[in-house]
Each structure stands twice: as structure tokens, then as C-alpha cells.
Amino acid sequence: MAERFNVVGHSEQRVDGKALITGKPVFAGDLDLPGMLHIAVLGSQHAHARIDAVDTRKAEALEGVALVLTHANTPTVRYTTAGQGHPEPSPYDTRMFDEKVRFIGDRVAAVAATSREIADKALESIEVDYVPLEPVLSIDAAMSPGAPVIHDELDASGIWDAEHNIAGAVEANIGNVDEAIADAFASVEFTGETQYAQHVPLEPHISVAYLDDNARLVLYTSTQVPFHVRRIIARVLGLPASRIRVIKPRIGGGFGVKQEILIEDLVGLVTLRTGMPSRLEYTRAEEFYASRTRHPMRVGVRLAADEAGHIQAIDMNALENTGAYGAHNLTVVSNTGSKTLPMYNKAPNVRFSARGIYTNLPVGGAYRGYGATQGVFPLETAIDMLAEKLGMDALELRRINHIRSGETSPIFEELGEGRKGVPQTVGSCGLDQCIEIGAERIGWAEKRGARRREGPWVHGVGMSIHMQGSGIPAVDMAAATIKMNDDGSFNLLIGATDLGTGSDTILAQMAAEVLGVPLSKVLVLSSDTDVTPFDVGAYASSTTYVSGSAVVRAAERVRSQIVEVALAMLKVDADDLHLADGRAIAKDGRSVMLSDVALRSLYGVDQFQIGATASFVADVSPPPFLASFAEVAIDVETGKLRIVNYVAAADCGTPINPRLAEGQVEGALANGIGYALMEEMRFDRYGRMRNPDLGRYKIPATTDMPPMEVILVETYEDTGPMGAKSIAEIGINAPIPTLANAIYDAVGVRMTHPPFTSEKIWHALSNS
Ligand code: SMO
């Protein structure tokens, strides 16, 4: 299908690639301004305490200290740090500095000084009088009768049931699940519990603030959501948005954790108060416990089917640990159902019930996969269990039940992100092909159930199938502006936020395609709230689909203007003209160069700036699909797991840039394999994180990656820009259920608590 395109569908080099690989100073941390103050944050030593007093006098007296901030001298407005659309679906339960701390590491004070060393030193001389409260360190403790109330403040809003520590709740109910399960030929039940994990962007959160010539606040920050930063910081600091400019440079990874406004308020306030530039960079330890995590969840699934394997009922119950604040709690746990249940759309009875629960632990937030990761593990495990009970091949059971092109699911309408969703019919769906190709490459037919042994190693294969979305329908808006320059090049101005995915490149490819120019003729400027048009930002797998559609529309408008000018130059009919190779070409073969079109419109006759802005809001969110397969070998003497081969086949519609799309799947799988096998934030009995460094919190390096094959199954999504859907998140959901199912196939134990470490597998083997 890519043959019909000249630029789209080709693995062009990233437009920012050369700057990145040659180490140009392109990140927020590279900005060094004269007189810049460095900020350090004092985190709470208690998981739950009231603050009686903070004595900052010694710190303030230190040479080099410019400002000390505490609850006593900062704005008291309640807000959410979740960088979502307006009005935000997350509760307003956070203050810059509160009189109560709710997890170890929660903000108590901040110091701005002439160097980071002085700021750190000043922190040590701050004296805090805590009144310790009983900490609530698990969802069970939080839900038990008489549990301490974590959010007892009176000025919070949007909390579902603060008295019972419930941040958010979602319910959906179609048919009668209990009856269907009671009457069914076969039913199974499985509960899986996913752990605390962090995104670990190699570049931690970092922001720089300064005042421009007109004393406007400029925030130069590593964010996925520049426009939400501007809106939310304006509210927190009590400034009109017009007094703030947010610039997003290159980002060293986001994965969702930078869809959060965590430090821009501090640099902003320090700079407003002192007039000096300021800078805050989280340490790796702070990045772990004081930024955001994946929401741990306990998710129970019950499934029922008839004798032929047609699924009759799905019951999913999710308990989400949102930690001390409710950032993204409702929307993430909504997605636990909404991005998984439509997969088995033929079930007439479906129930989803979910709660977001406060605890005195680090705070959950957006994390690639966004709830689907936590839900699909028990769902895809239960599917395997159901297949076993029915005596069916697990692949076949999935094949007869999964959603297909032209079909819908009542869940699309019942469950949105923290509210009702929208009805939609699946357009493109390459899942059947993904399953077929994946099964063939992994050797499913020969290997499943074969339990091949080599010494102590026993082999097994597992699979799982996945869907996600492409943006939040009827919510997410993106705009793009394109203007033509006198050499026939174009500026593409977009609020869309490349967080390392390559989205600047693929959006430029779309513009180049429409305008009939090579990629080098499209100059991308992304994410400066003073310059680029609005975009909600990079989250919810929206950029290719939502921002891409805006880019295509803007490019089409610009093309019409070019055609208009070229018509006057060539004196032909509009239908006779097309743009290609940097020219407007008539049917009779005559042509004009785009640079001549631009020169005429800028300097010649009927002068005007060729340019246009276009916006896009989707009314659907077409799911990408993915089939995931793994072969594992388990050493039955030690529990050691080796991934022998990993195969994933994905349908993202048209891959706008195949190499970047494959890279997204590979990266997401690596991310997911880390979560499945090694990553876990561990806490002591006081709620203190025990492993806040990369020595003790392991993520896979490239050298840890197993043999892996990623296949893109090309479909064409009619609603998408040039047939495209999303690709960046879906892969992360796959490794936990795929590997859990492969472990069972090899050694017959059902893993319930990732990460599936050697110890856990060994224990499970010993107890089986
Ligand atoms: S987890 Mo992404 O920032 O929707």
C-alpha cells in the first residue's frame, strides 16, 4: 500500500536525528543562563503526617540561598498535576505545598540557591515539626473500616469518596453477568496483581524558567503537554495564561510520566519571586518516588463460555492503587476495561467495576499502556484458562471470539476515559493476519503443549492479543499551521509534542506527501505555546492519528492555495494540476517550480502569504491491534526464565514511517518485558522506597533483549491520515500475559504477581 505514497510509508531519517546523535544541546538540561538559580526539594520523611511548623531561618541565612518555599509562603490553590484536557477528570487534591504530607518524598519545602550544592545543603538545615499519622500502605488497609482518611482536607474537589479513600470509581454493566456465569457450560476466574513501576526516562523531569524582555514567564521544560502546562500553571500561580510561554525542546523519553505538571510550578514561582532564571532537575531517586508511577492494580476476571467456546460473559473488577494523589486515577482505571473488554465483543454479558484507592505511597500517573496493561494480564490469562477447560487451543478460542472489522462493542459507548465513551464500529482490523503470522513465526502448532526439554530447561510458548486506541474521541483536539517560504520550503508549526517517538518526522512526512515535496523541504517547529497552534499534547496514542489528521488538512488547504497561484501562471484548469517533485504539474506536462509559485505570491502579483491552519477532533478512536507470542525456557531447578524468541505482529494501519513504527513496538516490548520480568518499586514497612536507583531497580538494557521479531501487518484505516492508526503504546501490554501464558505452557504454574523473577517461578514450582 505504501507504493501509492512518495514520502509516507518510507523509513525516512528522523528530522531531529542528526542533532541528537551528534550531541547538540537540544534538551532542557542543556540550557544554562546567567545568574540561574538551582532548586532542590525537601521530601517528607513520613508517609503520613501533619506539618506543625517548618523552620527555614537557618536555610535562608545560608550564603547563596535566594528563596525558601514552604506551605506558608506559596499559593494554596488545589489542582491536579495530571496534564489532561479542560476540565481535568482527575481530582483537585494537590497543593504546591500542603500542611499534610501523604507519602515519603511528598513536598515539604524547596530551596533556590546559586548552586545545587548550596540548595542541597540548605535543605539539611530546614527543621520540620511533623505530627505523624498512621500510614496507609496498601489498598486493603485503605479500604478497611476505620482506615485513616488520606484526603481529609475540605478544599479538595472531584474526589469520589474521600472518607473511604476512594479517589474515583467506574461501573459498566451490560446484560446479566452473574446469571450467565451460573448457567454457562464452562467458567474460569483469575486475579492478577500488577506492581509499582516507574517509567525511567533516561532524562528525568527537568525545567528551566526565565523572564523574557516583557517580564513574561518562559518555561523551558521536558513535557508531553505544553498547552496543559500553560493552562494549569496559570491557575496554580494565579497568572493569566498570556503571561506564560511554554517551550518544549527535545525530550529524553516521556512514556506518560511527562504528561504531568510536577516541577514547572516551582521553577515558575522561584523565577517570578526572584526575577532570576531558575532550574530544577529531579535526581534519579526523586524520579522514582516523587514523580509518577504505573498505578499498581489488582484485577479479577471471570469468564464464561458455551460448549463451542463462544464467550458468554466477562466480569472484570479492578482495584487501583493511586497512591497519595489521584492523578489520572479515574481515566487509567477506565481504560483497564475500555481498552481490553471490546476485544471479546461477542459476549452478551459484560460487567466492569473499578475503584481508584488512595494510599500513602508514591503517586500513580499516566504510563504507556494506561490501564490496559494492568487489565489485559488477567483477561488474557483467563482466556488461556478457559481454553484449557474447554479442551480448545487457546489461539482458536481467541480467533472465534475476537472483534473484527465492521463489528462494534457496547463497551465503546459505555466506557470512555472517566466518562461515557462514543459508539464506534471497527474499521481496519488486521488481527486475524497478525495472529496467523505470529503463530507461524513462533511455531505455535508444533511447540504449544510440547514441553520440549533440554537438561533442566523446559520450553513453552504463550500468546496474547491486544488493542488500544488512537486518541480520545470527542475530546482530543490538535491543530497544525503550514506556511510557504520563498524557496518552496514549508514551515510546519505543530503543538504536537515529539517525546522521542519521532512524531515530528512522521508529521512532516504527511505534510511533504500532500505538498509533493521531499521531507527536507518541510521544516518542523514543534511545541512553543507562543508560536505553534494548540494541541492537547502527546498522550493516549493520539499524535499520528489526531495531530496527523490536522497536518493533512492544513497541507491540503495550502495545496489548494498553491494550485490557485499555479493556475494563474500556467493558465490551465484546476483539475489539470497536481503537485509532485516540488512542482505544480499540468496534464500537458508543463509545470512551475513551487519556489516560483512562492516568489510570485510573496513578491509578484496578487501577493499573499500561502499558508493555512487546520484543526482536527476525532469522533472515533480506531484501535491498533497486536498479536504477541513468546517462546520461553524455564530452568526447573532454579526458576530462571529465558526468552528464546519473541514475536509480535501489529496492525497500525499505514505505517507512516515503518522503521520508526517498528521501533515503537520494539521499545514498547522492551518496556513491557522489563515490567514482566524485573521491574518493581519495593517499599519498607514505613512506606519508603527501598530501591530508588538503577543498581537495584533493574530495567532491561539492549544487551538484555531476547531475539525479537516485529512484523507490521499493513491495513488502511479510512478515518485516519493516509490510513494510519496509532502504534506507540500497545506493545507494552503484551509481555506480562504472553510470558505468563508461556510459563504455564512450559511448567504448569499460573503466575499472578509480576515481575516473574526466578525466585517467584522457583517458589511457584516448589508449591505446585
Ligand atoms: S500513558 Mo500516555 O502519556 O497516554
Side-chain angles (χ1 to χ4, degrees):
M1 236 169 276
E3 300 81 65
R4 77 169 86 154
F5 299 120
N6 295 310
V7 188
V8 157
H10 296 267
S11 294
E12 301 271 1
Q13 279 185 21
R14 281 177 57 153
V15 294
D16 53 352
K18 207 172 269 175
L20 287 168
I21 62 166
T22 56
K24 292 278 185 285
V26 294
F27 297 101
D30 294 320
L31 194 61
D32 192 6
L33 299 170
M36 188 158 71
L37 297 170
H38 297 258
I39 301 173
V41 180
L42 181 66
S44 167
Q45 296 299 306
H46 293 268
H48 198 188
R50 274 184 208 292
I51 296 176
D52 238 7
V54 186
D55 188 341
T56 58
R57 282 171 299 183
K58 281 186 207 150
E60 276 156 336
L62 262 183
E63 169 94 30
V65 170
L67 183 64
V68 182
L69 297 173
T70 68
H71 68 82
N73 63 354
T74 48
T76 57
V77 54
R78 290 244 175 237
Y79 67 104
T80 176
T81 58
Q84 299 176 279
H86 171 83
E88 302 90 354
S90 297
Y92 285 9
D93 59 4
T94 305
R95 251 189 206 175
M96 274 191 79
F97 295 88
D98 213 338
E99 287 152 86
K100 188 178 180 185
V101 284
R102 298 181 179 81
F103 68 98
I104 291 181
D106 204 357
R107 271 189 200 171
V108 175
V111 173
T114 49
S115 74
R116 179 68 194 233
E117 291 68 32
I118 295 173
D120 282 329
K121 194 159 172 264
L123 290 185
E124 291 168 21
S125 60
I126 294 176
E127 286 163 24
V128 188
D129 276 348
Y130 293 103
V131 181
L133 301 167
E134 184 188 338
V136 178
L137 299 177
S138 68
I139 50 175
D140 295 310
M143 292 186 300
S144 68
V149 178
I150 295 168
H151 283 278
D152 53 353
E153 70 274 13
L154 297 174
D155 57 343
S157 61
I159 300 176
W160 185 265
D161 178 358
E163 216 179 306
H164 295 99
N165 293 320
I166 303 173
V170 195
E171 307 277 343
N173 198 356
I174 294 141
N176 189 327
V177 164
D178 292 322
E179 220 168 77
I181 292 175
D183 296 347
F185 174 77
S187 66
V188 294
E189 184 169 352
F190 178 81
T191 298
E193 192 154 346
T194 41
Q195 73 277 28
Y196 258 106
Q198 217 265 338
H199 317 58
V200 196
L202 284 188
E203 178 208 33
H205 284 80
I206 174 155
S207 301
V208 172
Y210 58 91
L211 298 178
D212 73 8
D213 297 346
N214 301 311
R216 288 172 74 230
L217 178 65
V218 182
L219 297 169
Y220 194 81
T221 185
S222 180
T223 182
Q224 295 173 223
V225 287
F227 286 89
H228 296 336
V229 169
R230 184 178 64 174
R231 190 187 77 247
I232 291 172
I233 291 300
R235 213 177 83 77
V236 174
L237 299 183
L239 291 175
S242 60
R243 300 298 300 163
I244 302 174
R245 174 180 182 183
V246 179
I247 300 172
K248 177 224 68 107
R250 298 292 91 198
I251 305 183
F255 312 107
V257 79
K258 291 170 184 168
Q259 196 201 334
E260 199 84 29
I261 289 86
L262 292 179
I263 59 174
E264 289 89 348
D265 59 326
L266 287 180
V267 292
L269 192 58
V270 165
T271 290
L272 287 173
R273 291 256 170 102
T274 63
M276 301 306 290
S278 71
R279 172 192 209 272
L280 173 52
E281 173 177 353
Y282 265 172
T283 62
R284 182 56 61 189
E286 285 174 316
E287 186 63 33
F288 274 111
Y289 60 72
S291 75
R292 293 294 177 255
T293 71
R294 184 180 295 287
H295 292 93
M297 279 194 213
R298 183 187 301 154
V299 182
V301 171
R302 294 194 299 158
L303 290 180
D306 66 16
E307 213 172 333
H310 298 114
I311 296 173
Q312 298 301 309
I314 314 176
D315 191 11
M316 183 183 276
N317 190 297
L319 288 175
E320 170 200 49
N321 181 350
T322 190
Y325 298 96
H328 292 272
N329 85 89
L330 182 64
T331 37
V332 163
V333 85
S334 297
N335 273 12
T336 299
S338 70
K339 296 285 184 271
T340 60
L341 298 170
M343 181 61 89
Y344 300 109
N345 65 322
K346 292 159 201 76
N349 307 285
V350 187
R351 181 166 62 196
F352 178 66
S353 170
R355 297 273 179 281
I357 309 290
Y358 285 120
T359 60
N360 292 120
L361 287 166
V363 185
Y367 188 169
R368 194 181 205 174
Y370 205 78
T373 319
Q374 295 95 315
V376 80
F377 162 43
L379 179 61
E380 285 297 288
T381 300
I383 290 284
D384 258 40
M385 293 167 70
L386 185 63
E388 187 180 26
K389 202 156 194 182
L390 291 165
M392 271 177 89
D393 179 20
L395 184 149
E396 180 62 13
L397 180 65
R398 289 183 173 88
R399 211 186 51 74
I400 65 174
N401 285 289
H402 77 68
I403 197 165
R404 289 184 160 72
S405 179
E407 296 181 355
T408 186
S409 158
I411 290 292
F412 287 134
E413 190 169 0
E414 277 301 306
L415 272 182
E417 286 211 358
R419 58 181 207 168
K420 289 268 179 204
V422 297
Q424 61 173 327
T425 301
V426 170
S428 55
C429 179
L431 187 53
D432 272 319
Q433 250 180 299
C434 291
I435 293 174
E436 193 182 319
I437 293 172
E440 200 255 314
R441 300 285 169 91
I442 203 78
W444 181 264
E446 318 85 79
K447 290 176 183 165
R448 178 72 169 180
R451 296 202 172 169
R452 185 166 69 84
R453 254 195 110 112
E454 314 170 286
W457 296 93
V458 184
H459 288 244
V461 290
M463 72 173 290
S464 60
I465 57 176
H466 302 271
M467 60 189 292
Q468 197 89 22
S470 302
I472 309 173
V475 175
D476 280 350
M477 196 280 260
T481 298
I482 298 174
K483 68 182 181 69
M484 193 178 196
N485 298 314
D486 52 14
D487 63 347
S489 66
F490 300 88
N491 294 111
L492 170 62
L493 311 180
I494 41 176
T497 306
D498 190 330
L499 56 150
T501 55
S503 69
D504 279 0
T505 305
I506 63 116
L507 295 175
Q509 283 180 263
M510 291 184 197
E513 185 70 44
V514 174
L515 295 166
V517 295
L519 182 59
S520 59
K521 292 284 187 187
V522 180
L523 315 165
V524 187
L525 196 150
S526 72
S527 305
D528 176 336
T529 56
D530 264 16
V531 180
T532 59
F534 178 83
D535 188 298
V536 289
Y539 58 90
S541 284
S542 62
T543 305
T544 300
Y545 186 75
V546 181
S547 308
S549 297
V551 168
V552 168
R553 281 187 183 185
E556 283 168 352
R557 286 181 195 173
V558 169
R559 181 175 60 191
S560 310
Q561 294 173 18
I562 293 170
V563 164
E564 196 97 346
V565 176
L567 288 180
M569 296 168 80
L570 288 166
K571 312 222 164 24
V572 290
D573 289 333
D575 302 345
D576 287 351
L577 266 184
H578 76 280
L579 304 190
D581 305 323
R583 309 180 80 90
I585 305 167
K587 272 212 179 111
D588 63 11
R590 287 181 308 131
S591 69
V592 285
M593 296 204 302
L594 292 192
S595 52
D596 288 330
V597 170
L599 285 172
R600 177 179 163 111
S601 75
L602 293 171
Y603 303 103
V605 288
D606 302 328
Q607 286 148 278
F608 75 112
Q609 167 70 60
I610 293 178
T613 296
S615 308
F616 183 77
V617 188
D619 39 37
V620 291
S621 177
F625 294 94
L626 184 141
S628 159
F629 294 83
E631 178 177 355
V632 301
I634 313 276
D635 181 333
V636 289
E637 287 165 11
T638 64
K640 193 172 164 58
L641 178 149
R642 185 160 57 84
I643 299 176
V644 178
N645 192 16
Y646 206 113
V647 176
D651 156 26
C652 61
T654 302
I656 300 296
N657 184 314
R659 195 175 298 153
L660 287 176
E662 282 167 19
Q664 284 300 306
V665 180
E666 285 164 8
L669 290 172
N671 219 174
I673 287 171
Y675 194 39
L677 299 183
M678 58 191 88
E679 294 185 42
E680 180 166 30
M681 293 169 65
R682 297 194 307 271
F683 300 94
D684 69 13
R685 64 199 169 97
Y686 305 104
R688 184 182 304 277
M689 187 180 170
R690 290 167 54 205
N691 55 337
D693 56 67
L694 292 174
R696 289 173 291 175
Y697 182 103
K698 304 284 186 199
I699 62 166
T702 47
T703 47
D704 297 316
M705 292 309 291
M708 181 180 280
E709 189 180 3
V710 169
I711 303 127
L712 298 178
V713 168
E714 205 166 317
T715 62
Y716 195 90
E717 173 56 39
D718 283 330
T719 69
M722 291 153 183
K725 305 186 279 190
S726 83
I727 190 68
E729 291 188 85
I730 189 167
I732 199 170
N733 305 327
I736 294 182
T738 301
L739 294 170
N741 288 336
I743 292 168
Y744 185 82
D745 186 55
V747 293
V749 296
R750 281 273 167 228
M751 303 303 291
T752 54
H753 288 68
F756 308 137
T757 58
S758 304
E759 294 92 314
K760 279 192 202 161
I761 295 172
W762 185 84
H763 276 292
L765 284 169
S766 313
N767 295 333
S768 68

